Amino acid sequence: MMSRDLRSDQPDVIVRSDATAAAKFVADRFAETIRSLPQCVLGLATGGTPIETYRELIRMHQEEGLDFSAVTTFNLDEYVGLGPDHPQSYRHFMRQHLLDHINIDPSRTHLPDGLATDLQGHAAEYEQQIVEAGGIDLQLLGIGHNGHIAFNEPGAAGDSRTRVVQLAEQTIEKNARFFASADEVPRTALTMGIGTILEAKRIVMLATGAGKAEAVRRALEDPADADHPASFLQTHANVTYVLDQGAASRLRL
Ligand code: F6R
């Protein structure tokens, strides 16, 4: 395991032997936050990467009594045009993989509404709801192969806010695995902006598998640049990168 001191200018990088151990580390971080601050506000992600972390949090709830009753959550993003009952909507994903299996109050769980009639107005309201909740205490992120965080694709501004975005071709192709075909993947999404994400008090980026190694290397080692949105995390004072050996395999650290 590598761990860097946050007081230095080196990033805090934790490398675990495999994806399961990395997921367990992240779940423990979340559990610590919930135990020390029962009314915490968590930022959550979808995708393949966090599923094991959510499974471990469910286990902690069921076997150890981890209590979500006062927790509030905000997800990063949602596809435009997919309602909560659509099996590929992120609301559906979150219910399936976490929310339906813990004692969280559904009214405290937030995702952007992909069916909102006024999408831009809804995006502004979402920002306002985060502010009213007191801001995000701990934000979980994954990383796209092209360096996206949430649906902030290459070119997104470092101070971008929650808004409607076009998905990159590569993202549509990668996410097609969850749909019957690439044609069915929505082309637009609502996403928290990079500026929104950078306002979280603490951030944990989880990346697993050698397929993410180059995206992780660029995020950590190349200068912060809009071509690789995850590199903007370098400007945040409290980010922990939790990697398995595959995802860490290109780091010079
Ligand atoms: C999901 C999200 C995306 C994913 C990224 C990685 O809410 O915002 O940025 O974190 O696409 O996805 P997976 O984990 O499927 O490789």
Side-chain angles (χ1 to χ4, degrees):
M1 186 185 90
M2 253 181 291
S3 182
R4 297 293 174 128
D5 185 343
L6 282 179
R7 285 163 300 186
S8 77
D9 56 5
Q10 292 295 320
D12 186 35
V13 180
I14 307 290
V15 181
R16 292 288 161 141
S17 54
D18 59 27
T20 300
K24 168 92 177 104
F25 183 91
V26 173
D28 285 345
R29 275 277 166 106
F30 273 76
E32 275 161 34
T33 301
I34 294 164
R35 288 194 186 103
S36 64
L37 191 63
Q39 295 186 318
C40 62
V41 179
L42 302 178
L44 301 179
T46 56
T49 311
I51 290 177
E52 271 201 88
T53 298
Y54 294 152
R55 201 178 293 142
E56 175 64 7
L57 286 171
I58 293 167
R59 190 200 63 74
M60 288 185 202
H61 167 66
Q62 291 173 344
E63 294 177 16
E64 297 165 13
L66 183 62
D67 180 11
F68 290 81
S69 60
V71 170
T72 296
T73 63
F74 286 92
N75 264 76
L76 290 166
D77 40 20
E78 178 62 280
Y79 289 117
V80 168
L82 302 194
D85 295 328
H86 189 289
Q88 300 312 332
S89 73
Y90 285 169
R91 167 63 79 176
H92 187 273
F93 175 101
M94 288 309 300
R95 291 189 57 186
Q96 181 186 1
H97 291 289
L98 182 67
L99 302 174
D100 281 358
H101 310 287
I102 55 177
N103 65 330
I104 196 161
D105 175 350
S107 70
R108 291 184 194 273
T109 66
H110 304 86
L111 284 94
D113 177 2
L115 297 182
T117 40
D118 171 11
L119 290 169
Q120 215 37 68
H122 175 65
E125 262 170 42
Y126 199 68
E127 291 267 339
Q128 191 53 34
Q129 285 180 312
I130 296 172
V131 171
E132 280 166 13
I136 291 172
D137 294 298
L138 180 59
Q139 174 69 56
L140 177 60
L141 292 179
I143 183 169
H145 292 80
N146 63 359
H148 73 214
I149 47 173
F151 275 135
N152 295 284
E153 301 283 20
D159 61 357
S160 50
R161 312 300 310 187
T162 303
R163 68 202 184 289
V164 181
V165 292
Q166 302 287 324
L167 301 191
E169 255 333 294
Q170 194 189 9
T171 303
I172 292 167
E173 280 162 30
K174 292 277 176 205
N175 290 1
R177 68 190 195 277
F178 299 113
F179 292 81
S181 75
D183 290 344
E184 288 186 20
V185 183
R187 268 44 187 171
T188 51
L190 275 161
T191 184
M192 279 189 205
I194 297 174
T196 322
I197 292 168
L198 291 176
E199 281 169 12
K201 290 161 199 136
R202 288 187 297 144
I203 296 174
V204 172
M205 147 82 66
L206 174 62
T208 55
K212 295 286 176 71
E214 180 59 13
V216 167
R217 188 202 65 72
R218 286 186 66 185
L220 279 156
E221 294 182 355
D222 285 357
D225 185 272
D227 280 349
H228 200 72
S231 64
F232 284 122
L233 296 174
Q234 293 170 21
T235 65
H236 191 284
N238 200 340
V239 183
T240 302
Y241 301 81
V242 183
L243 312 172
D244 68 356
Q245 287 190 344
S249 58
R250 293 210 180 170
L251 292 180
R252 272 186 288 113
L253 291 168

PDB file of all heavy atoms in Angstrom, residues 172-197:
ATOM      1  N   ILE A 172     -20.544   6.709 -24.921  1.00  0.00           N
ATOM      2  CA  ILE A 172     -21.729   6.002 -25.432  1.00  0.00           C
ATOM      3  C   ILE A 172     -21.365   4.552 -25.728  1.00  0.00           C
ATOM      4  O   ILE A 172     -22.079   3.620 -25.340  1.00  0.00           O
ATOM      5  CB  ILE A 172     -22.269   6.728 -26.683  1.00  0.00           C
ATOM      6  CG1 ILE A 172     -22.832   8.090 -26.265  1.00  0.00           C
ATOM      7  CG2 ILE A 172     -23.327   5.886 -27.401  1.00  0.00           C
ATOM      8  CD1 ILE A 172     -23.117   9.046 -27.409  1.00  0.00           C
ATOM      9  N   GLU A 173     -20.198   4.358 -26.361  1.00  0.00           N
ATOM     10  CA  GLU A 173     -19.778   2.983 -26.679  1.00  0.00           C
ATOM     11  C   GLU A 173     -19.541   2.164 -25.408  1.00  0.00           C
ATOM     12  O   GLU A 173     -19.969   1.023 -25.301  1.00  0.00           O
ATOM     13  CB  GLU A 173     -18.477   2.993 -27.494  1.00  0.00           C
ATOM     14  CG  GLU A 173     -18.714   3.297 -28.970  1.00  0.00           C
ATOM     15  CD  GLU A 173     -17.429   3.736 -29.649  1.00  0.00           C
ATOM     16  OE1 GLU A 173     -16.340   3.302 -29.228  1.00  0.00           O
ATOM     17  OE2 GLU A 173     -17.525   4.544 -30.593  1.00  0.00           O
ATOM     18  N   LYS A 174     -18.862   2.772 -24.414  1.00  0.00           N
ATOM     19  CA  LYS A 174     -18.571   2.029 -23.176  1.00  0.00           C
ATOM     20  C   LYS A 174     -19.863   1.695 -22.441  1.00  0.00           C
ATOM     21  O   LYS A 174     -20.009   0.611 -21.881  1.00  0.00           O
ATOM     22  CB  LYS A 174     -17.682   2.853 -22.246  1.00  0.00           C
ATOM     23  CG  LYS A 174     -16.275   3.065 -22.769  1.00  0.00           C
ATOM     24  CD  LYS A 174     -15.372   1.896 -22.463  1.00  0.00           C
ATOM     25  CE  LYS A 174     -14.010   2.094 -23.090  1.00  0.00           C
ATOM     26  NZ  LYS A 174     -13.309   0.843 -23.352  1.00  0.00           N
ATOM     27  N   ASN A 175     -20.808   2.635 -22.408  1.00  0.00           N
ATOM     28  CA  ASN A 175     -22.028   2.412 -21.633  1.00  0.00           C
ATOM     29  C   ASN A 175     -23.043   1.566 -22.387  1.00  0.00           C
ATOM     30  O   ASN A 175     -24.033   1.118 -21.800  1.00  0.00           O
ATOM     31  CB  ASN A 175     -22.642   3.761 -21.216  1.00  0.00           C
ATOM     32  CG  ASN A 175     -21.780   4.440 -20.161  1.00  0.00           C
ATOM     33  OD1 ASN A 175     -20.740   3.909 -19.769  1.00  0.00           O
ATOM     34  ND2 ASN A 175     -22.202   5.591 -19.680  1.00  0.00           N
ATOM     35  N   ALA A 176     -22.779   1.305 -23.672  1.00  0.00           N
ATOM     36  CA  ALA A 176     -23.694   0.470 -24.458  1.00  0.00           C
ATOM     37  C   ALA A 176     -23.805  -0.925 -23.859  1.00  0.00           C
ATOM     38  O   ALA A 176     -24.794  -1.625 -24.082  1.00  0.00           O
ATOM     39  CB  ALA A 176     -23.216   0.401 -25.906  1.00  0.00           C
ATOM     40  N   ARG A 177     -22.798  -1.336 -23.047  1.00  0.00           N
ATOM     41  CA  ARG A 177     -22.850  -2.680 -22.476  1.00  0.00           C
ATOM     42  C   ARG A 177     -24.065  -2.863 -21.555  1.00  0.00           C
ATOM     43  O   ARG A 177     -24.479  -3.975 -21.287  1.00  0.00           O
ATOM     44  CB  ARG A 177     -21.540  -3.008 -21.737  1.00  0.00           C
ATOM     45  CG  ARG A 177     -21.263  -2.211 -20.474  1.00  0.00           C
ATOM     46  CD  ARG A 177     -19.821  -2.470 -20.011  1.00  0.00           C
ATOM     47  NE  ARG A 177     -19.524  -2.046 -18.654  1.00  0.00           N
ATOM     48  CZ  ARG A 177     -19.203  -0.792 -18.309  1.00  0.00           C
ATOM     49  NH1 ARG A 177     -19.176   0.165 -19.226  1.00  0.00           N
ATOM     50  NH2 ARG A 177     -18.919  -0.508 -17.038  1.00  0.00           N
ATOM     51  N   PHE A 178     -24.606  -1.755 -21.058  1.00  0.00           N
ATOM     52  CA  PHE A 178     -25.762  -1.857 -20.171  1.00  0.00           C
ATOM     53  C   PHE A 178     -27.090  -1.806 -20.951  1.00  0.00           C
ATOM     54  O   PHE A 178     -28.154  -2.001 -20.379  1.00  0.00           O
ATOM     55  CB  PHE A 178     -25.750  -0.715 -19.148  1.00  0.00           C
ATOM     56  CG  PHE A 178     -24.517  -0.734 -18.271  1.00  0.00           C
ATOM     57  CD1 PHE A 178     -23.562   0.278 -18.356  1.00  0.00           C
ATOM     58  CD2 PHE A 178     -24.307  -1.758 -17.357  1.00  0.00           C
ATOM     59  CE1 PHE A 178     -22.421   0.270 -17.556  1.00  0.00           C
ATOM     60  CE2 PHE A 178     -23.180  -1.787 -16.552  1.00  0.00           C
ATOM     61  CZ  PHE A 178     -22.232  -0.768 -16.651  1.00  0.00           C
ATOM     62  N   PHE A 179     -27.036  -1.469 -22.230  1.00  0.00           N
ATOM     63  CA  PHE A 179     -28.250  -1.326 -23.049  1.00  0.00           C
ATOM     64  C   PHE A 179     -28.269  -2.426 -24.109  1.00  0.00           C
ATOM     65  O   PHE A 179     -27.263  -3.103 -24.335  1.00  0.00           O
ATOM     66  CB  PHE A 179     -28.242   0.046 -23.754  1.00  0.00           C
ATOM     67  CG  PHE A 179     -28.408   1.213 -22.824  1.00  0.00           C
ATOM     68  CD1 PHE A 179     -27.318   1.695 -22.109  1.00  0.00           C
ATOM     69  CD2 PHE A 179     -29.643   1.841 -22.664  1.00  0.00           C
ATOM     70  CE1 PHE A 179     -27.458   2.777 -21.240  1.00  0.00           C
ATOM     71  CE2 PHE A 179     -29.789   2.923 -21.807  1.00  0.00           C
ATOM     72  CZ  PHE A 179     -28.693   3.389 -21.099  1.00  0.00           C
ATOM     73  N   ALA A 180     -29.426  -2.575 -24.789  1.00  0.00           N
ATOM     74  CA  ALA A 180     -29.528  -3.599 -25.830  1.00  0.00           C
ATOM     75  C   ALA A 180     -28.574  -3.274 -26.986  1.00  0.00           C
ATOM     76  O   ALA A 180     -28.011  -4.172 -27.608  1.00  0.00           O
ATOM     77  CB  ALA A 180     -30.962  -3.700 -26.324  1.00  0.00           C
ATOM     78  N   SER A 181     -28.386  -1.991 -27.274  1.00  0.00           N
ATOM     79  CA  SER A 181     -27.450  -1.596 -28.333  1.00  0.00           C
ATOM     80  C   SER A 181     -27.008  -0.157 -28.079  1.00  0.00           C
ATOM     81  O   SER A 181     -27.648   0.575 -27.298  1.00  0.00           O
ATOM     82  CB  SER A 181     -28.129  -1.672 -29.698  1.00  0.00           C
ATOM     83  OG  SER A 181     -29.000  -0.577 -29.842  1.00  0.00           O
ATOM     84  N   ALA A 182     -25.935   0.250 -28.778  1.00  0.00           N
ATOM     85  CA  ALA A 182     -25.420   1.618 -28.589  1.00  0.00           C
ATOM     86  C   ALA A 182     -26.473   2.651 -28.984  1.00  0.00           C
ATOM     87  O   ALA A 182     -26.509   3.755 -28.419  1.00  0.00           O
ATOM     88  CB  ALA A 182     -24.147   1.811 -29.404  1.00  0.00           C
ATOM     89  N   ASP A 183     -27.365   2.299 -29.911  1.00  0.00           N
ATOM     90  CA  ASP A 183     -28.401   3.245 -30.346  1.00  0.00           C
ATOM     91  C   ASP A 183     -29.331   3.644 -29.210  1.00  0.00           C
ATOM     92  O   ASP A 183     -29.966   4.686 -29.256  1.00  0.00           O
ATOM     93  CB  ASP A 183     -29.258   2.613 -31.460  1.00  0.00           C
ATOM     94  CG  ASP A 183     -28.462   2.484 -32.742  1.00  0.00           C
ATOM     95  OD1 ASP A 183     -27.410   3.140 -32.840  1.00  0.00           O
ATOM     96  OD2 ASP A 183     -28.907   1.718 -33.621  1.00  0.00           O
ATOM     97  N   GLU A 184     -29.445   2.756 -28.228  1.00  0.00           N
ATOM     98  CA  GLU A 184     -30.388   3.038 -27.131  1.00  0.00           C
ATOM     99  C   GLU A 184     -29.786   3.909 -26.029  1.00  0.00           C
ATOM    100  O   GLU A 184     -30.493   4.334 -25.123  1.00  0.00           O
ATOM    101  CB  GLU A 184     -30.879   1.726 -26.523  1.00  0.00           C
ATOM    102  CG  GLU A 184     -31.832   1.008 -27.450  1.00  0.00           C
ATOM    103  CD  GLU A 184     -32.439  -0.231 -26.813  1.00  0.00           C
ATOM    104  OE1 GLU A 184     -32.437  -0.351 -25.572  1.00  0.00           O
ATOM    105  OE2 GLU A 184     -32.880  -1.086 -27.577  1.00  0.00           O
ATOM    106  N   VAL A 185     -28.479   4.141 -26.076  1.00  0.00           N
ATOM    107  CA  VAL A 185     -27.848   4.953 -25.025  1.00  0.00           C
ATOM    108  C   VAL A 185     -28.236   6.420 -25.260  1.00  0.00           C
ATOM    109  O   VAL A 185     -28.041   6.930 -26.369  1.00  0.00           O
ATOM    110  CB  VAL A 185     -26.305   4.830 -25.056  1.00  0.00           C
ATOM    111  CG1 VAL A 185     -25.675   5.611 -23.917  1.00  0.00           C
ATOM    112  CG2 VAL A 185     -25.882   3.369 -25.020  1.00  0.00           C
ATOM    113  N   PRO A 186     -28.802   7.084 -24.231  1.00  0.00           N
ATOM    114  CA  PRO A 186     -29.131   8.493 -24.429  1.00  0.00           C
ATOM    115  C   PRO A 186     -27.889   9.297 -24.823  1.00  0.00           C
ATOM    116  O   PRO A 186     -26.773   8.977 -24.424  1.00  0.00           O
ATOM    117  CB  PRO A 186     -29.653   8.927 -23.055  1.00  0.00           C
ATOM    118  CG  PRO A 186     -30.128   7.665 -22.434  1.00  0.00           C
ATOM    119  CD  PRO A 186     -29.198   6.602 -22.912  1.00  0.00           C
ATOM    120  N   ARG A 187     -28.080  10.325 -25.610  1.00  0.00           N
ATOM    121  CA  ARG A 187     -26.952  11.152 -26.073  1.00  0.00           C
ATOM    122  C   ARG A 187     -26.689  12.326 -25.129  1.00  0.00           C
ATOM    123  O   ARG A 187     -25.655  12.992 -25.240  1.00  0.00           O
ATOM    124  CB  ARG A 187     -27.235  11.682 -27.475  1.00  0.00           C
ATOM    125  CG  ARG A 187     -26.719  10.840 -28.636  1.00  0.00           C
ATOM    126  CD  ARG A 187     -26.944   9.372 -28.507  1.00  0.00           C
ATOM    127  NE  ARG A 187     -26.272   8.617 -29.572  1.00  0.00           N
ATOM    128  CZ  ARG A 187     -26.163   7.293 -29.612  1.00  0.00           C
ATOM    129  NH1 ARG A 187     -26.665   6.554 -28.630  1.00  0.00           N
ATOM    130  NH2 ARG A 187     -25.551   6.701 -30.596  1.00  0.00           N
ATOM    131  N   THR A 188     -27.628  12.609 -24.268  1.00  0.00           N
ATOM    132  CA  THR A 188     -27.453  13.741 -23.347  1.00  0.00           C
ATOM    133  C   THR A 188     -27.702  13.292 -21.907  1.00  0.00           C
ATOM    134  O   THR A 188     -28.386  12.297 -21.662  1.00  0.00           O
ATOM    135  CB  THR A 188     -28.417  14.898 -23.693  1.00  0.00           C
ATOM    136  OG1 THR A 188     -29.736  14.374 -23.803  1.00  0.00           O
ATOM    137  CG2 THR A 188     -28.038  15.578 -24.992  1.00  0.00           C
ATOM    138  N   ALA A 189     -27.137  14.046 -21.007  1.00  0.00           N
ATOM    139  CA  ALA A 189     -27.283  13.733 -19.583  1.00  0.00           C
ATOM    140  C   ALA A 189     -27.273  15.031 -18.781  1.00  0.00           C
ATOM    141  O   ALA A 189     -26.843  16.079 -19.275  1.00  0.00           O
ATOM    142  CB  ALA A 189     -26.125  12.841 -19.127  1.00  0.00           C
ATOM    143  N   LEU A 190     -27.793  14.922 -17.559  1.00  0.00           N
ATOM    144  CA  LEU A 190     -27.628  16.003 -16.584  1.00  0.00           C
ATOM    145  C   LEU A 190     -26.467  15.597 -15.685  1.00  0.00           C
ATOM    146  O   LEU A 190     -26.432  14.446 -15.224  1.00  0.00           O
ATOM    147  CB  LEU A 190     -28.879  16.121 -15.722  1.00  0.00           C
ATOM    148  CG  LEU A 190     -30.016  16.950 -16.283  1.00  0.00           C
ATOM    149  CD1 LEU A 190     -31.321  16.590 -15.557  1.00  0.00           C
ATOM    150  CD2 LEU A 190     -29.737  18.453 -16.115  1.00  0.00           C
ATOM    151  N   THR A 191     -25.540  16.484 -15.464  1.00  0.00           N
ATOM    152  CA  THR A 191     -24.397  16.125 -14.618  1.00  0.00           C
ATOM    153  C   THR A 191     -24.008  17.288 -13.705  1.00  0.00           C
ATOM    154  O   THR A 191     -24.094  18.452 -14.105  1.00  0.00           O
ATOM    155  CB  THR A 191     -23.175  15.726 -15.469  1.00  0.00           C
ATOM    156  OG1 THR A 191     -22.121  15.308 -14.598  1.00  0.00           O
ATOM    157  CG2 THR A 191     -22.638  16.853 -16.342  1.00  0.00           C
ATOM    158  N   MET A 192     -23.575  16.932 -12.501  1.00  0.00           N
ATOM    159  CA  MET A 192     -22.889  17.941 -11.685  1.00  0.00           C
ATOM    160  C   MET A 192     -21.700  18.434 -12.494  1.00  0.00           C
ATOM    161  O   MET A 192     -21.082  17.658 -13.238  1.00  0.00           O
ATOM    162  CB  MET A 192     -22.321  17.325 -10.398  1.00  0.00           C
ATOM    163  CG  MET A 192     -23.288  17.133  -9.286  1.00  0.00           C
ATOM    164  SD  MET A 192     -22.309  16.653  -7.815  1.00  0.00           S
ATOM    165  CE  MET A 192     -23.543  15.767  -6.893  1.00  0.00           C
ATOM    166  N   GLY A 193     -21.343  19.691 -12.340  1.00  0.00           N
ATOM    167  CA  GLY A 193     -20.168  20.212 -13.027  1.00  0.00           C
ATOM    168  C   GLY A 193     -18.889  19.906 -12.260  1.00  0.00           C
ATOM    169  O   GLY A 193     -18.923  19.418 -11.124  1.00  0.00           O
ATOM    170  N   ILE A 194     -17.777  20.207 -12.888  1.00  0.00           N
ATOM    171  CA  ILE A 194     -16.491  20.005 -12.197  1.00  0.00           C
ATOM    172  C   ILE A 194     -16.400  20.975 -11.017  1.00  0.00           C
ATOM    173  O   ILE A 194     -15.955  20.611  -9.922  1.00  0.00           O
ATOM    174  CB  ILE A 194     -15.315  20.197 -13.180  1.00  0.00           C
ATOM    175  CG1 ILE A 194     -15.394  19.130 -14.272  1.00  0.00           C
ATOM    176  CG2 ILE A 194     -13.973  20.105 -12.438  1.00  0.00           C
ATOM    177  CD1 ILE A 194     -14.384  19.296 -15.390  1.00  0.00           C
ATOM    178  N   GLY A 195     -16.879  22.195 -11.223  1.00  0.00           N
ATOM    179  CA  GLY A 195     -16.884  23.167 -10.121  1.00  0.00           C
ATOM    180  C   GLY A 195     -17.732  22.685  -8.957  1.00  0.00           C
ATOM    181  O   GLY A 195     -17.369  22.876  -7.782  1.00  0.00           O
ATOM    182  N   THR A 196     -18.870  22.055  -9.275  1.00  0.00           N
ATOM    183  CA  THR A 196     -19.753  21.512  -8.227  1.00  0.00           C
ATOM    184  C   THR A 196     -19.005  20.430  -7.443  1.00  0.00           C
ATOM    185  O   THR A 196     -19.001  20.423  -6.204  1.00  0.00           O
ATOM    186  CB  THR A 196     -21.011  20.880  -8.873  1.00  0.00           C
ATOM    187  OG1 THR A 196     -21.446  21.658  -9.978  1.00  0.00           O
ATOM    188  CG2 THR A 196     -22.130  20.723  -7.870  1.00  0.00           C
ATOM    189  N   ILE A 197     -18.374  19.523  -8.177  1.00  0.00           N
ATOM    190  CA  ILE A 197     -17.663  18.400  -7.541  1.00  0.00           C
ATOM    191  C   ILE A 197     -16.522  18.918  -6.660  1.00  0.00           C
ATOM    192  O   ILE A 197     -16.312  18.440  -5.540  1.00  0.00           O
ATOM    193  CB  ILE A 197     -17.119  17.442  -8.625  1.00  0.00           C
ATOM    194  CG1 ILE A 197     -18.287  16.736  -9.332  1.00  0.00           C
ATOM    195  CG2 ILE A 197     -16.130  16.435  -8.049  1.00  0.00           C
ATOM    196  CD1 ILE A 197     -17.898  15.991 -10.603  1.00  0.00           C
TER     197      ILE A 197
END
